[in-house]
Amino acid sequence: MEEEVKRTLCRQLGEIDGSLEHMLVLLVSVGLSFRATALQRRGLCDILEGKKSAMPDVFCLRLGGSLLVIMALGFFFALAVESWQNSRSGSCRERKSADLNAWAALLVLCAALIRLYDLTQVQQRD
């Protein structure tokens, strides 16, 4: 196999491995969010049953989940930007696809940053 082709394939393999790892990070984030929501549900049930008078604090779970999401989305945004740069010498269809994917990755990352800002700066905590 030609050396240049082999280097390209190895680089792509590394990107795919990184993508798989960051998808696992997203799954852990979903798990943290699930746990926080389950604790809030339990808190509501306890209040309804008169066992407690306040909701549980799930800030740390939500913060950890948000930070993991931002880390993973940052990785995917970097991949989208790299793909966008590489597409400039491609066909019109490849350039358009890379444009759309870069914008989508940017918007999703911005949404996650806005949610983190809301969690840390806007929402009231007890």
Side-chain angles (χ1 to χ4, degrees):
M1 183 180 301
E2 186 181 320
E3 218 31 59
E4 182 65 30
V5 171
K6 190 173 182 178
R7 270 196 299 274
T8 299
L9 292 174
C10 286
R11 182 184 53 77
Q12 289 174 341
L13 182 61
E15 289 174 355
I16 289 172
D17 288 344
S19 294
L20 290 171
E21 291 167 4
H22 286 84
M23 282 186 238
L24 286 174
V25 168
L26 288 172
L27 288 174
V28 170
S29 169
V30 170
L32 289 173
S33 182
F34 184 91
R35 178 72 177 138
T37 303
L39 286 172
Q40 288 177 318
R41 183 185 186 287
R42 181 74 252 157
L44 283 173
C45 290
D46 287 346
I47 290 170
L48 285 170
E49 294 170 2
K51 295 178 182 177
K52 293 187 179 177
S53 61
M55 291 289 288
D57 184 12
V58 294
F59 176 78
C60 289
L61 291 171
R62 297 264 185 230
L63 179 62
S66 288
L67 293 174
L68 289 174
V69 164
I70 289 169
M71 181 182 79
L73 293 178
F75 173 82
F76 289 118
F77 175 67
L79 279 183
V81 168
E82 184 179 337
S83 176
W84 176 81
Q85 290 171 332
N86 293 337
S87 74
R88 298 302 93 187
S89 60
S91 69
C92 182
R93 179 180 289 175
E94 290 169 340
R95 288 192 310 271
K96 183 64 173 176
S97 177
D99 291 348
L100 292 172
N101 279 291
W103 276 110
L106 176 63
L107 292 172
V108 170
L109 179 58
C110 286
L113 289 168
I114 291 168
R115 288 182 56 91
L116 177 64
Y117 177 79
D118 177 51
L119 178 67
T120 59
Q121 303 299 315
V122 179
Q123 290 183 24
Q124 301 242 334
R125 290 186 55 213
D126 294 333

